[in-house]
Amino acid sequence: MTLYSCCLILLLFTWNTAAYGPNQRAQKKGDIILGGLFPIHFGVAAKDQDLKSRPESVECIRYNFRGFRWLQAMIFAIEEINSSPTLLPNMTLGYRIFDTCNTVSKALEATLSFVAQNKIDSLNLDEFCNCSEHIPSTIAVVGATGSGISTAVANLLGLFYIPQVSYASSSRLLSNKNQFKSFLRTIPNDEHQATAMADIIEYFRWNWVGTIAADDDYGRPGIEKFREEAEERDICIDFSELISQYSDEEEIQQVVEVIQNSTARVIVVFSSGPDLEPLIKEIVRRNITGKIWLASEAWASSSLIAMPEFFRVIGSTIGFALKAGQIPGFREFLQKVHPKKSTNNGFAKEFWEETFNCYLPDGSKNSPASTSFHKGHEEGLGVGNGTSAFRPPCTGDENITSVETPYMDYTHLRISYNVYLAVYSIAHALQDIYTCTPGKGLFTNGSCADIKKVEAWQVLKHLRHLNFTNNMGEQVDFDEFGDLVGNYSIINWHLSPEDGSVVFEEVGHYNVYAKKGERLFINENKILWGGFSKEVPFSNCSRDCLPGTRKGIIEGEPTCCFECVDCPDGEYSDETDASACDKCPEDYWSNENHTSCIPKQIEFLAWTEPFGIALTLFAVLGIFLTSFVLGVFTKFRNTPIVKATNRELSYLLLFSLLCCFSSSLFFIGEPQNWTCRLRQPAFGISFVLCISCILVKTNRVLLVFEAKIPTSLHRKWWGLNLQFLLVFLCTFVQIVICVIWLYTAPPSSYRNHELEDEIIFITCHEGSLMALGFLIGYTCLLAAICFFFAFKSRKLPENFNEAKFITFSMLIFFIVWISFIPAYASTYGKFVSAVEVIAILAASFGLLACIFFNKVYIILFKPSRNTIEEVRCSTAAHAFKVAARATLRRSNVSRKRSNSLGGSTGSTPSSSISSKSNHEDPFPLPASAERQRQQQRGCKQKVSFGSGTVTLSLSFEEPQKNAMANRNAKRRNSLEAQNSDDSLMRHRALLPLQ
């Protein structure tokens, strides 16, 4: 039974290896065997398997010179290790390398060969089977190229923990160690590459791109990661398409239509060269130019795409390439390849035929290799110029250096170096096993593996803990995900001026170790867009929004499609494509273009502005006029007019007016805390002092004239002391209001930003509007009382208080302050202070003019009226007017009473008053004599009332003072005897007061 099982397994293994044939592998015996998977061909021929006969292995087509060079790199590394005296001495590495034809099926077919051999060795059938051609187990596999292929291979190798070290599979999915347990790689994963692509787009300020990805495990995860990075950078994707080298023509046409109709000029492509090739051919056929291609490393330097005939379409390609390495002696090794010398390399024969477009006589013309090339050549992808029917035989003396092929392009060894590094990684893992000291090993109890019986899983364990320095002096160690972190070079496709070929110019690099924002470096001077232009192409959905504007969302469109909206007032943007406008600081405002902030205009009622100058001049004028009046009153202080108007109160009244005019100056200039706290109390106290003086002065005269016969008590209470006390008490109330106001809510300087956006009004914050209301209200209350008394005393002698003019001044005062309230409430900024200044000045000028200008006029220009006779005459006239009216009222009452008793008419009391009733003086004097008499005797007044006119005459002669006093005394006695009217006696008694 055991023998039967042995024969069955050997039969299966033989069938598996025979499917490839001797010419389809590179194989060499050794103590330890390494497997290799390389894309010697770009694909397989499409063949309809109708299953009418046994299915045959599909045929590989389109020879890949770069794939063969990668294979050569593996062989070179193994031979270099075998010849090394320090690395694995006394050990020989062998290899078994297969062609994946860039397809999963071929790769799995080769992988089964590795797995089958390992399973045979695990059965220990040597004692039953005499296998002279026995090949040791494959303890590690180098490959594969494409991520999709490596995914399938890794799933199979992972079942048996056979380490797989890929040199070109960069899909980030392969970092999942739960699924791909034995997968490692010497190439960075696509996560960094996708981030680098997004950084490049952001660097060139593009935000409108399209994406194309291979429909496999390389393209889909890569483009998904790019979308994540693009979203973080506000990059919008116009379209996203999937492609494959096996897509039918209709699918390719559909993708090309999308590209042609798209407004996005930048196209990000995550694909391999073979998958992208059909799409590029169709784009070239349609001549769709003007696109910028951002290439992943899988096709950025692909010989399938980087062809001169495609350059007019994809000449603006910017791509990523792996960091180039150096392999000393590799160039010479590549040149030594020859079918007869490379006996262990079954791919050398086909390579020779494809390179020189000939066939070896000892080879079959219809061999799969030859046929595959001819079909590829008909599609324009081969190197030769004929098909198999026209190929001449090879001589074997051809010079490999005389033909330019991708195989000899060793200037930038990227994937080749990764292959070289992968082999050395496995070799160093074996070296660690070889030099392991028992007790310090990685296995149970520190044990070590036996290098002569090493198994794949043991090599995998050491690979995970690998740490060595490569030939370039760099540290090599796989991270926890089995990845090597590396940097990228950024290349730009140029057209060589020498031979017209496509060359890859390095224009920058991407350092994954650097800080975010410092990883990308691009030398824009080296970039040629479209092969000749230095101007960076535009690939945005909308034109840039200039500084001073922001991006506005268009409903139904991606965020990258926007309209430019001007920044509102008070906001600015100083950069292009601002997402939002920034608000200016509190004391700043946006300029006209909204590109920056400028200091706000500061406004207050300044001394230097015309309005402030005018108000200041009026205030100074008021101070000057008040001072002038005060000077006049001081100089003529002993004249009757000044004495009759209560001289001391007049001085105090003029002083208060000086304070009123001066208080208005506190409202001009930049408000400070101290001026704000001083100006309203100064204004309020000054006006209350002024109104109090007028009130006491007017009320005193009114009370005296309306009182009965004045006594010493009246004189005592209405003396100067009482008058000043009343003024002080009235003013003290205002002072108390101001003190409470300043203590509880003191006014302060305030920068008002709310009235106008671009202006800062420096005003005074009053602290309490209620306190201001009390201040003005109390002033108006005193003014109302003063107005009442002034109106009541309007018919008193003019020389006492000018009652009519005081009444008029109070009317002006009320008009001003009643108008002030709505004006104050409706204005703002500096005009608030201006309104109050105007009100103060208007009220002050009204009081000054109405009360004092008439007196100053008499004093200066009518000195004849500034006499004691004039004052006494007006006083006596008022007294006689009142007496006459009282006498006539009493006569009328007596007459009515007599008529009611008997109809008799009573006689009127006799007096020295000459009464004329409806007739003239029977003996009139001549006019000249009358004037002379009046000048001699003093004055003559006529009193008119309801039933007639009374003429009274008084004489005051200064030279005969004593005689005049005696005559006045006799006259008073006569009047008192003839008329018992109390009113007459009351008013005449006032004469000595003057």
Side-chain angles (χ1 to χ4, degrees):
M1 183 66 182
T2 305
L3 183 60
Y4 175 76
S5 299
C6 174
C7 295
L8 180 61
I9 293 174
L10 286 175
L11 179 63
L12 290 173
F13 176 70
T14 304
W15 177 84
N16 183 274
T17 56
Y20 277 81
N23 293 330
Q24 294 178 328
R25 74 176 68 180
Q27 179 172 305
K28 183 179 181 181
K29 294 181 180 181
D31 299 323
I32 298 174
I33 300 297
L34 303 183
L37 296 174
F38 294 91
I40 307 302
H41 296 85
F42 283 116
V44 295
K47 188 175 182 180
D48 183 19
Q49 301 286 357
D50 57 5
L51 300 180
K52 292 182 179 180
S53 59
R54 179 185 295 273
E56 297 179 357
S57 178
V58 290
E59 185 178 0
C60 297
I61 58 174
R62 295 185 300 171
Y63 194 79
N64 184 4
F65 288 97
R66 294 179 70 212
F68 184 70
R69 186 180 71 215
W70 301 338
L71 179 148
Q72 289 285 79
M74 180 176 177
I75 296 175
F76 174 80
I78 291 175
E79 292 184 359
E80 193 175 61
I81 292 169
N82 288 337
S83 61
S84 173
T86 58
L87 190 59
L88 296 176
N90 303 320
M91 298 291 296
T92 303
L93 294 180
Y95 54 83
R96 297 176 64 215
I97 304 174
F98 296 96
D99 180 11
T100 63
C101 299
N102 205 36
T103 59
V104 172
S105 60
K106 286 293 184 180
L108 287 177
E109 192 174 350
T111 305
L112 285 173
S113 173
F114 303 141
V115 173
Q117 181 62 45
N118 285 24
K119 290 306 293 181
I120 292 174
D121 288 348
S122 66
L123 294 176
N124 294 321
L125 298 178
D126 291 343
E127 58 180 303
F128 301 104
C129 303
N130 183 14
C131 302
S132 59
E133 296 296 328
H134 173 64
I135 299 177
S137 300
T138 303
I139 52 93
V141 176
V142 176
T145 307
S147 295
I149 298 173
S150 287
T151 299
V153 172
N155 280 319
L156 182 55
L157 294 178
L159 295 174
F160 306 97
Y161 291 92
I162 300 174
Q164 175 188 356
V165 184
S166 176
Y167 49 85
S169 299
S170 56
S171 173
R172 61 183 183 138
L173 295 180
L174 291 168
S175 296
N176 185 353
K177 294 298 104 179
N178 292 326
Q179 183 175 359
F180 309 104
K181 302 178 180 64
S182 61
F183 181 83
L184 303 97
R185 53 186 162 190
T186 57
I187 184 174
N189 70 44
D190 289 332
E191 187 164 350
H192 298 295
Q193 187 176 186
T195 303
M197 284 182 166
D199 286 344
I200 286 180
I201 292 174
E202 187 178 32
Y203 175 86
F204 288 111
R205 304 183 64 84
W206 298 324
N207 65 11
W208 190 237
V209 302
T211 63
I212 295 174
D215 191 10
D216 56 23
D217 289 337
Y218 169 73
R220 289 191 301 268
I223 215 65
E224 181 183 350
K225 175 62 178 178
F226 170 78
R227 279 197 292 264
E228 294 174 3
E229 296 291 334
E231 186 175 354
E232 292 181 5
R233 294 164 173 78
D234 293 328
I235 300 170
C236 298
I237 298 175
D238 183 28
F239 63 87
S240 186
E241 300 292 335
L242 296 176
I243 58 173
S244 171
Q245 63 176 318
Y246 303 111
S247 298
D248 55 35
E249 186 176 350
E250 184 178 350
E251 293 174 340
I252 296 297
Q253 294 281 355
Q254 183 179 354
V255 175
V256 173
E257 288 287 342
V258 171
I259 295 172
Q260 191 170 16
N261 296 329
S262 173
T263 56
R265 295 189 64 186
V266 175
I267 302 176
V268 179
V269 182
F270 255 97
S271 174
S272 63
D275 287 324
L276 183 62
E277 182 190 14
L279 178 68
I280 295 299
K281 284 184 175 181
E282 180 61 26
I283 291 175
V284 170
R285 189 185 69 81
R286 296 196 183 191
N287 196 26
I288 301 174
T289 58
K291 302 294 182 181
I292 301 110
W293 299 84
L294 194 55
S296 64
E297 54 80 27
W299 73 274
S301 55
S302 172
S303 59
L304 285 177
I305 311 299
M307 302 180 67
E309 53 266 34
F310 296 165
F311 190 80
R312 72 177 188 276
V313 168
I314 56 173
S316 296
T317 298
I318 292 181
F320 290 88
L322 301 174
K323 184 178 179 180
Q326 297 178 358
I327 307 177
F330 186 52
R331 176 180 180 182
E332 292 75 13
F333 179 80
L334 292 178
Q335 294 175 353
K336 291 179 181 179
V337 65
H338 195 279
K340 294 181 180 180
K341 296 178 182 179
S342 304
T343 56
N344 295 320
N345 191 345
F347 300 104
K349 175 178 177 293
E350 184 180 1
F351 164 75
W352 197 266
E353 293 178 339
E354 298 296 334
T355 300
F356 299 105
N357 195 24
C358 63
Y359 72 94
L360 293 172
D362 57 343
S364 172
K365 294 180 183 179
N366 296 325
S367 67
S370 300
T371 307
S372 65
F373 168 76
H374 304 324
K375 291 182 180 178
H377 176 73
E378 291 174 358
E379 296 176 4
L381 296 171
V383 177
N385 297 319
T387 63
S388 59
F390 302 100
R391 281 186 176 183
C394 300
T395 63
D397 297 329
E398 291 85 0
N399 185 2
I400 193 69
T401 60
S402 64
V403 181
E404 291 187 3
T405 62
Y407 171 77
M408 292 301 296
D409 184 12
Y410 44 79
T411 54
H412 298 288
L413 300 176
R414 295 185 172 91
I415 300 296
S416 298
Y417 184 77
N418 285 353
V419 174
Y420 181 81
L421 190 60
V423 175
Y424 264 87
S425 297
I426 299 171
H428 277 280
L430 293 171
Q431 178 72 11
D432 291 342
I433 295 174
Y434 181 80
T435 59
C436 178
T437 302
K440 296 183 180 180
L442 300 177
F443 304 103
T444 306
N445 299 323
S447 60
C448 298
D450 186 359
I451 189 63
K452 295 182 179 180
K453 297 182 179 180
V454 66
E455 297 185 32
W457 65 271
Q458 295 171 327
V459 177
L460 177 60
K461 178 69 173 178
H462 277 270
L463 279 172
R464 290 178 178 177
H465 294 81
L466 183 66
N467 192 334
F468 74 99
T469 303
N470 62 14
N471 67 323
M472 296 179 64
E474 297 174 346
Q475 202 70 19
V476 178
D477 59 329
F478 296 100
D479 61 17
E480 57 182 325
F481 304 108
D483 300 334
L484 286 182
V485 179
N487 299 325
Y488 291 99
S489 296
I490 300 174
I491 60 175
N492 179 221
W493 289 14
H494 290 186
L495 203 61
S496 174
E498 299 175 357
D499 56 5
S501 62
V502 177
V503 295
F504 309 118
E505 180 71 22
E506 185 170 337
V507 296
H509 58 79
Y510 188 83
N511 185 1
V512 299
Y513 298 101
K515 296 180 182 178
K516 188 175 182 180
E518 300 178 0
R519 298 172 181 173
L520 179 66
F521 169 77
I522 293 180
N523 186 352
E524 292 189 49
N525 294 326
K526 291 185 176 182
I527 299 178
L528 293 178
W529 304 101
F532 59 90
S533 176
K534 290 284 187 179
E535 183 180 357
V536 178
F538 179 83
S539 183
N540 294 40
C541 183
S542 302
R543 285 287 174 184
D544 294 343
C545 288
L546 299 177
T549 62
R550 65 170 178 85
K551 295 188 290 187
I553 297 175
I554 302 176
E555 188 175 355
E557 295 290 338
T559 56
C560 298
C561 300
F562 51 82
E563 57 184 353
C564 296
V565 181
D566 291 335
C567 291
D569 292 337
E571 297 183 9
Y572 75 101
S573 66
D574 55 358
E575 58 183 12
T576 304
D577 278 347
S579 299
C581 298
D582 298 321
K583 286 189 176 181
C584 291
E586 189 177 22
D587 292 344
Y588 289 80
W589 192 250
S590 56
N591 61 1
E592 184 177 357
N593 297 325
H594 300 279
T595 56
S596 63
C597 291
I598 57 177
K600 286 184 178 180
Q601 180 182 350
I602 296 178
E603 282 200 3
F604 52 86
L605 189 58
W607 297 99
T608 55
E609 65 175 289
F611 201 17
I613 293 173
L615 294 176
T616 303
L617 291 177
F618 276 108
V620 172
L621 177 63
I623 294 172
F624 171 77
L625 292 177
T626 306
S627 301
F628 176 76
V629 172
L630 182 60
V632 170
F633 267 55
T634 302
K635 182 177 181 181
F636 297 94
R637 61 185 176 277
N638 293 321
T639 60
I641 286 288
V642 176
K643 289 182 177 180
T645 56
N646 199 333
R647 179 173 54 195
E648 288 73 13
L649 279 180
S650 295
Y651 291 159
L652 187 58
L653 177 58
L654 287 170
F655 171 74
S656 65
L657 285 174
L658 280 174
C659 294
C660 290
F661 283 115
S662 300
S663 67
S664 65
L665 297 176
F666 289 115
F667 292 83
I668 304 174
E670 182 177 354
Q672 305 291 337
N673 286 336
W674 68 272
T675 57
C676 290
R677 292 169 185 170
L678 183 61
R679 65 182 192 174
Q680 296 293 4
F683 142 70
I685 293 172
S686 300
F687 265 95
V688 165
L689 179 61
C690 178
I691 301 299
S692 299
C693 291
I694 298 172
L695 175 62
V696 171
K697 186 177 178 183
T698 305
N699 191 36
R700 171 185 173 275
V701 175
L702 180 63
L703 290 177
V704 169
F705 270 94
E706 290 187 352
K708 294 184 178 182
I709 297 174
T711 63
S712 61
L713 185 64
H714 286 91
R715 294 185 181 94
K716 178 181 179 181
W717 284 104
W718 285 105
L720 284 176
N721 292 335
L722 181 60
Q723 295 174 40
F724 283 118
L725 178 62
L726 291 176
V727 171
F728 171 74
L729 291 176
C730 293
T731 308
F732 182 72
V733 175
Q734 187 77 305
I735 293 174
V736 171
I737 293 174
C738 293
V739 170
I740 295 174
W741 181 9
L742 294 177
Y743 181 76
T744 57
S748 59
S749 177
Y750 171 64
R751 298 171 73 90
N752 195 328
H753 300 266
E754 300 175 357
L755 298 177
E756 289 190 18
D757 294 328
E758 54 192 71
I759 299 176
I760 299 175
F761 291 100
I762 303 181
T763 59
C764 285
H765 187 272
E766 302 300 348
S768 172
L769 290 178
M770 181 180 293
L772 179 61
F774 275 118
L775 184 141
I776 297 177
Y778 178 69
T779 306
C780 292
L781 175 63
L782 290 181
I785 297 173
C786 185
F787 174 77
F788 171 75
F789 285 123
F791 181 78
K792 194 172 182 181
S793 61
R794 67 190 183 281
K795 295 183 179 180
L796 294 180
E798 294 180 350
N799 285 327
F800 269 89
N801 60 354
E802 307 273 23
K804 292 180 181 179
F805 294 105
I806 292 177
T807 304
F808 185 65
S809 69
M810 290 299 104
L811 285 175
I812 294 175
F813 185 87
F814 276 115
I815 291 172
V816 168
W817 289 107
I818 290 173
S819 302
F820 165 77
I821 295 173
Y824 185 87
S826 60
T827 55
Y828 61 90
K830 65 181 181 180
F831 299 107
V832 174
S833 299
V835 166
E836 194 160 356
V837 171
I838 292 171
I840 292 172
L841 294 177
S844 301
F845 274 114
L847 293 174
L848 179 64
C850 293
I851 296 175
F852 292 101
F853 281 3
N854 183 48
K855 294 177 177 58
V856 172
Y857 175 77
I858 292 174
I859 292 171
L860 296 180
F861 302 105
K862 298 290 183 180
S864 59
R865 295 179 58 185
N866 189 13
T867 61
I868 189 67
E869 291 84 359
E870 187 73 18
V871 174
R872 288 177 177 176
C873 179
S874 62
T875 304
H878 179 76
F880 281 112
K881 288 177 186 179
V882 175
R885 289 192 181 97
T887 301
L888 291 177
R889 279 198 303 270
R890 288 174 180 270
S891 286
N892 291 335
V893 171
S894 299
R895 188 181 300 111
K896 290 179 181 179
R897 188 179 299 161
S898 298
N899 290 337
S900 63
L901 293 176
S904 61
T905 305
S907 61
T908 61
S910 62
S911 70
S912 63
I913 302 174
S914 176
S915 176
K916 296 194 298 180
S917 183
N918 300 324
H919 62 275
E920 300 293 332
D921 189 349
F923 305 105
L925 294 175
S928 60
E930 179 66 23
R931 285 195 299 272
Q932 183 178 2
R933 189 182 69 172
Q934 288 198 22
Q935 290 175 0
Q936 291 174 355
R937 300 187 61 187
C939 65
K940 185 176 182 179
Q941 296 286 342
K942 290 184 179 181
V943 181
S944 300
F945 46 89
S947 60
T949 302
V950 175
T951 302
L952 54 93
S953 299
L954 296 176
S955 176
F956 308 99
E957 297 180 2
E958 289 294 332
Q960 302 174 353
K961 190 172 183 181
N962 294 331
M964 181 180 65
N966 293 332
R967 285 194 299 271
N968 287 341
K970 293 179 181 180
R971 188 179 293 110
R972 285 197 300 271
N973 293 334
S974 177
L975 288 172
E976 290 173 358
Q978 296 175 4
N979 191 351
S980 60
D981 188 273
D982 292 338
S983 177
L984 176 61
M985 294 170 62
R986 178 171 64 249
H987 290 284
R988 292 186 63 196
L990 289 172
L991 289 173
L993 296 176
Q994 304 303 322

